[in-house]
């Protein structure tokens, strides 16, 4: 049976190895910049994946939100 085909269904699961990595040092400058919308300059990312919004919760913890396929993905700082 070919990979990704199980009883007539095609594989829809996405594996992390299929995605390009965004290294943490790209986000380091966001620790001190004003809150708002930003874009990552990378030739490997689609226009949809380059856009992010920098926000801060009521405790002062910053996080970024990517909206991909109309679904928000939050990435927080520890």
């Amino acid at each position: 049976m070919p990979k990704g085909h199980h009883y007539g269904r095609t594989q829809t699961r996405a594996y992390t190895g299929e995605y390009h990595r965004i290294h943490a040092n790209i986000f380091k400058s966001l620790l001190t910049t004003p809150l708002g919308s930003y874009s990552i300059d990378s030739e490997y990312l689609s226009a949809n994946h380059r856009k992010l919004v920098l926000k801060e919760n009521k405790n002062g913890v910053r996080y970024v939100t990517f909206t991909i396929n109309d679904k928000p993905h939050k990435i927080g700082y520890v």
Side-chain angles (χ1 to χ4, degrees):
M1 180 180 310
K3 182 179 179 182
H5 290 77
H6 302 282
Y7 303 105
R9 295 183 306 136
T10 59
Q11 180 180 1
T12 58
R13 182 180 298 153
Y15 293 95
T16 56
E18 297 174 2
Y19 296 103
H20 295 284
R21 292 182 182 189
I22 302 174
H23 295 280
N25 61 357
I26 290 176
F27 299 105
K28 187 174 181 179
S29 64
L30 296 177
L31 291 171
T32 56
T33 57
L35 302 177
S37 298
Y38 291 91
S39 180
I40 297 173
D41 185 26
S42 174
E43 64 185 76
Y44 300 110
L45 299 174
S46 69
N48 191 26
H49 292 87
R50 292 180 190 192
K51 298 175 186 174
L52 61 94
V53 179
L54 176 63
K55 298 180 181 180
E56 189 173 270
N57 68 14
K58 62 182 178 180
N59 296 327
V61 177
R62 289 182 169 215
Y63 61 93
V64 294
T65 302
F66 290 91
T67 302
I68 301 170
N69 297 330
D70 297 324
K71 182 178 178 184
H73 299 276
K74 291 183 182 180
I75 300 174
Y77 295 122
V78 179

